[in-house]
């Protein structure tokens, strides 16, 4: 398939935050964390780690304390690694909305 997609034309990114608090610190271990910047609310701090970092409860508690944050803002991917620590998490939900014309092109390609 020869399909090149352009953001804003062929797809858009939609974000929501579950369990948002007034003072959130971003803590994430994803490749290229700067791509989150356009979707972030006002934060009290940012802590980024290498992709697939295995978080410890101590480093997350430190991020909360140092930034005087009321919760950790993180992606669903990273939240899975943090949920067992009992710390306040706010989840940045990321979704793509793909245009109908793109879906039609994909369907047409798959049918041939």
């Amino acid at each position: 398939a020869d399909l090149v997609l352009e953001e804003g034309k062929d797809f858009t990114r939609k974000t929501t935050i579950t369990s948002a608090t007034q003072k959130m610190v971003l803590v994430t271990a994803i490749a290229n964390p700067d791509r989150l910047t356009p979707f972030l609310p006002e934060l009290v701090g940012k802590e980024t780690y290498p992709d697939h970092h295995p978080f410890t409860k101590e480093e997350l508690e430190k991020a909360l304390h140092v930034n005087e944050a009321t919760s950790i803002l993180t992606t669903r991917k990273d939240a899975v690694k943090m949920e067992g620590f009992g710390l306040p998490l706010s989840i940045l939900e990321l979704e793509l909305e793909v245009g109908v014309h793109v879906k039609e092109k994909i369907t047409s390609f798959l049918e041939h």
Side-chain angles (χ1 to χ4, degrees), residues 73-94:
L73 177 62
T74 194
T75 63
R76 174 67 53 202
K77 172 189 174 271
D78 287 327
V80 170
K81 299 182 278 183
M82 300 176 184
E83 290 173 330
F85 297 137
L87 300 172
L89 299 179
S90 301
I91 311 299
L92 181 64
E93 302 283 355
L94 305 168

Side-chain angles (χ1 to χ4, degrees), residues 7-35:
E7 186 167 0
K9 179 181 173 189
D10 301 308
F11 69 93
T12 56
R13 297 176 196 264
K14 301 290 181 189
T15 60
T16 56
I17 299 174
T18 56
S19 303
T21 65
Q22 290 292 321
K23 295 169 64 177
M24 296 181 288
V25 58
L26 176 69
V27 178
T28 188
I30 62 171
N32 191 12
D34 290 337
R35 66 186 163 152

